[in-house]
Amino acid sequence: MILKFGLAVTLLFVALMWQSSSPPRPRLLGVAHMAVAVSNVDKARGFYKDFLGFEEPYDLKNADGSLAMTFIKINDQQYVELFPGYQAGEDRLRHISFYTDNAERLRQYLKAKGVTVPDKVNHVRIGNTSFNVKDPEGHTVEFTQYEAAGWTMREQGKFLGKQRISARMMHVGIIIGDVPAATKFYHDTLGLTEFWRGNARGTPRVCRLGQEPQRCGASGGKGEDGRFYGRVCPQPRDGQSDSGVDGGLRPDGIWHGRDHGGARP
């Protein structure tokens, strides 16, 4: 009996030691940017600037003076990065990026969670601090910290024309094959919240927040795990598209409704 009690105390002590040594998750403050490769920079600029109304605050040059990349500003925290030199057959998506207020602590946290991280953060040419990892599908995910002396902070309140089609970038999109692995990385490790899940026409709808997707009920609500199971429409309304889930939780925790193919409020 004494042996069993001693073993239980030892295991509890080890568990508490492990928990105390695991760093808390630093904050992710939002989407920073998406980086895309383009075959024609002038046409890309025309699309983002002339058509969508965004502005181009700065760019980076190669040693020979040619364009290395340029920045399209959405708002003071969000950009689209354009990289010239796209070749047919390549992935147009270079990486996605989230911003944090402590890149080094986030690097340490991800390392403790088993994510392969670089040995140190990187101080990039525009003056910010960042590092890259790979998600389970091999996508490059960047985490950046906006520094006071960086170009991002330098241009606060500038290049925000009223002609912009939108003042924010709601999300970035990636293609995945392994839903449980992606959920573990983005939801469990990074702490992001799934707020909507669609599906191809004619396939079973799934909208569960968690490890394994499953079909949802007709009315929705919170499950025993406390997570919200979004309402699913068995058939689209007359004259409207098959949109799947009615709504979902945004990252800020607010329910965001969807009316069968209608615009979100």
Side-chain angles (χ1 to χ4, degrees):
M1 185 60 139
I2 296 176
L3 177 61
K4 289 183 179 179
F5 178 75
L7 179 60
V9 171
T10 301
L11 291 175
L12 177 61
F13 178 74
V14 170
L16 290 175
M17 285 284 290
W18 182 87
Q19 290 177 3
S20 63
S21 64
S22 180
R25 180 171 56 220
R27 297 189 303 171
L28 287 183
L29 302 176
V31 172
H33 63 261
M34 68 173 184
V36 295
V38 299
S39 58
N40 189 312
V41 176
D42 291 335
K43 287 185 177 181
R45 280 172 164 153
F47 176 77
Y48 286 102
K49 296 171 65 176
D50 300 336
F51 182 60
L52 297 184
F54 299 116
E55 298 186 27
E56 184 180 11
Y58 43 78
D59 60 32
L60 293 175
K61 299 293 197 300
N62 295 310
D64 62 2
S66 62
L67 182 69
M69 61 182 293
T70 192
F71 298 78
I72 303 297
K73 185 169 182 176
I74 310 299
N75 56 47
D76 280 335
Q77 290 78 38
Q78 296 181 316
Y79 287 75
V80 175
E81 296 180 354
L82 303 179
F83 287 79
Y86 170 77
Q87 301 295 324
E90 294 180 346
D91 189 350
R92 287 187 180 273
L93 181 66
R94 289 292 184 90
H95 63 267
I96 60 175
S97 178
F98 302 97
Y99 67 103
T100 178
D101 52 8
N102 197 318
E104 174 56 25
R105 279 186 54 215
L106 183 59
R107 187 193 69 83
Q108 295 175 10
Y109 164 79
L110 293 176
K111 182 178 180 180
K113 291 295 183 180
V115 178
T116 300
V117 299
D119 294 334
K120 60 182 180 179
V121 296
N122 182 36
H123 299 287
V124 300
R125 291 173 62 185
I126 64 170
N128 295 326
T129 301
S130 69
F131 68 95
N132 295 347
V133 303
K134 295 287 188 181
D135 77 357
E137 300 286 340
H139 301 110
T140 298
V141 181
E142 178 187 274
F143 301 97
T144 188
Q145 177 180 343
Y146 296 140
E147 301 291 355
W151 296 6
T152 309
M153 296 298 292
R154 183 191 71 188
E155 305 302 339
Q156 290 279 299
K158 305 174 185 177
F159 301 98
L160 300 172
K162 294 182 179 179
Q163 70 275 19
R164 292 175 295 163
I165 192 172
S166 176
R168 72 183 181 109
M169 184 189 304
M170 180 179 176
H171 69 272
V172 291
I174 56 175
I175 297 175
I176 62 170
D178 189 335
V179 174
T183 300
K184 181 178 180 181
F185 177 75
Y186 287 101
H187 180 275
D188 300 346
T189 301
L190 296 185
L192 304 182
T193 301
E194 179 179 343
F195 70 95
W196 183 82
R197 187 181 296 189
N199 59 283
R201 182 185 296 273
T203 61
R205 296 178 179 84
V206 292
C207 56
R208 181 170 192 258
L209 299 178
Q211 294 294 325
E212 292 288 346
Q214 67 181 32
R215 294 191 184 191
C216 303
S219 59
K222 285 188 176 181
E224 294 180 357
D225 57 3
R227 294 174 176 177
F228 190 85
Y229 290 72
R231 190 158 67 97
V232 174
C233 315
Q235 298 292 334
R237 294 180 182 176
D238 292 340
Q240 294 181 323
S241 62
D242 185 357
S243 60
V245 183
D246 271 9
L249 289 174
R250 293 194 307 219
D252 58 8
I254 300 175
W255 173 251
H256 203 97
R258 184 180 178 90
D259 185 18
H260 305 269
R264 296 179 183 181

